[in-house]
Amino acid sequence: NIMRIFAVLLLLTAWTPVQATLSIFACEPEWAALARELGGNKVDVYAATTALQDPHLIQARPSLIAKMRKADLAVCTGAELEIGWLPVLLTRANNPKVTAGMPGLFEASDHVDMLDIPTQVDRRQGDVHPYGNPHIQGDPHNITRIATALSQRLAQIDRPNAAYYDQRRADFIQRWQAAIRQWEEKAKILRGVRVISDHRGWNYLYHWLGIVEAATLEPKPGIPPSARHLQSLLASLQSDPPEMILQAAYTSDRPARWLSEQSNMPVVVLPFTVGEEVGAVNLFALFEVTIQRLLAGLNR
């Protein structure tokens, strides 16, 4: 009868093995977005941070440890960006798949040319990164290189789906390269434009677009600006003011707003990474929004 047939169908469904997906722990939203582009329906991606968090200052919470414990692959920036929390996560998770030297730990910075590598590391200079500036996501050409390396790593870890990852990579890079050409065409006018940065987090973006950093709001990397420093900065810029002040969406707007009110320079808030809350739902939108806001700041 019908009920018996229905019962048999239910049993068959229960016995059908579910296609296992690769569990990916992404330290930052940009790598979560890239992993989804490359992994498609073969991966389950968890982003440990959001676009409104400072990636330097994350707590190694029990929920993050639990996620890392189950990960097949951890995708992080590296270059000591996560030095304050990733080593603790890895130690406490005790997951042999994602330990240092294993294929399951992927550091994006290993696959790009690093900028701002210091000749000597002196903590009196502020939060200096000995392996170079870790904010590598600001240059879309870096994303191309990292996508190729990450696709290869996915194939290495999940060999049965290697051809799928390769096809996803080829499709992504084709669309990405076309988008880069459009962004570079739109952004030609930004070459040589002088700006003030909130933090030395935009150097890869500047290197790509030819933007010139005239000053930073922070007196030293990672050191919040004092009122005295801002006054001194204002005085030094009076004779030749830059075009705009750039601020990451995750940072406090008070220093930039004060300087803007005193100098009449516009503040341009940029999405530092992917996130719906900052108007950048994927990697393509991240750069679209960035270029649009820079052009709007220039043409206010």
Side-chain angles (χ1 to χ4, degrees):
N1 62 28
I2 293 174
M3 290 303 293
R4 185 174 296 171
I5 294 169
F6 183 65
V8 170
L9 286 172
L10 278 178
L11 284 171
L12 287 173
T13 303
W15 286 337
T16 303
V18 176
Q19 176 76 42
T21 54
L22 209 62
S23 179
I24 299 179
F25 180 105
C27 286
E28 289 83 30
E30 60 266 27
W31 311 134
L34 183 60
R36 291 187 184 105
E37 288 277 2
L38 300 174
N41 61 16
K42 307 297 183 190
V43 299
D44 179 29
V45 182
Y46 172 77
T49 56
T50 75
L52 295 179
Q53 289 179 297
D54 184 338
H56 300 89
L57 305 174
I58 303 300
Q59 298 298 315
R61 304 187 309 277
S63 59
L64 295 185
I65 295 167
K67 288 287 186 181
M68 186 68 87
R69 190 170 289 138
K70 296 175 182 176
D72 298 305
L73 174 65
V75 183
C76 300
T77 298
E80 295 197 353
L81 174 66
E82 306 97 350
I83 190 66
W85 54 283
L86 182 58
V88 178
L89 282 188
L90 294 172
T91 300
R92 294 189 180 170
N94 194 27
N95 178 350
K97 293 180 181 178
V98 296
T99 53
M102 295 300 288
L105 182 59
F106 179 93
E107 295 193 335
S109 58
D110 290 343
H111 306 282
V112 302
D113 296 327
M114 300 294 287
L115 300 179
D116 307 331
I117 299 174
T119 52
Q120 61 178 20
V121 178
D122 184 344
R123 288 301 171 191
R124 289 175 297 181
Q125 297 169 348
D127 184 16
V128 176
H129 292 280
Y131 299 106
N133 190 317
H135 303 299
I136 56 177
Q137 79 281 6
D139 183 343
H141 293 290
N142 284 344
I143 303 292
T144 306
R145 298 182 187 104
I146 294 161
T148 298
L150 181 55
S151 174
Q152 291 168 352
R153 189 67 59 89
L154 288 168
Q156 179 184 355
I157 291 172
D158 184 15
R159 293 190 188 280
N161 290 311
Y164 176 82
Y165 298 129
D166 190 54
Q167 179 270 322
R168 297 279 303 190
R169 173 202 54 77
D171 175 68
F172 169 75
I173 288 182
Q174 183 180 17
R175 291 182 291 119
W176 192 248
Q177 298 284 29
I180 289 176
R181 288 192 290 271
Q182 291 177 357
W183 296 327
E184 289 178 346
E185 184 62 32
K186 285 183 191 173
K188 278 181 180 177
I189 195 173
L190 293 167
R191 187 160 296 277
V193 167
R194 296 169 64 250
V195 301
I196 298 173
S197 311
D198 56 347
H199 170 71
R200 296 210 74 190
W202 306 106
N203 290 28
Y204 293 88
L205 178 71
Y206 298 160
H207 183 260
W208 172 46
L209 296 178
I211 293 172
V212 177
E213 184 178 71
T216 59
L217 294 177
E218 292 179 339
K220 296 177 182 177
I223 308 299
S226 64
R228 177 181 291 181
H229 172 73
L230 291 173
Q231 290 278 7
S232 174
L233 181 60
L234 177 64
S236 69
L237 298 169
Q238 295 285 13
S239 60
D240 188 15
E243 298 280 355
M244 61 187 101
I245 305 164
L246 301 189
Q247 178 205 323
Y250 73 82
T251 61
S252 167
D253 67 347
R254 282 183 295 179
R257 198 171 65 231
W258 181 89
L259 190 62
S260 174
E261 289 167 355
Q262 302 299 316
S263 65
N264 202 34
M265 278 184 283
V267 176
V268 176
V269 179
L270 298 181
F272 199 65
T273 183
V274 175
E276 287 187 32
E277 63 272 44
V278 293
V281 294
N282 56 37
L283 285 166
F284 291 89
L286 173 63
F287 286 92
E288 285 285 352
V289 170
T290 297
I291 299 294
Q292 285 172 8
R293 293 187 184 176
L294 287 169
L295 293 175
L298 189 62
N299 299 315
R300 66 174 183 132

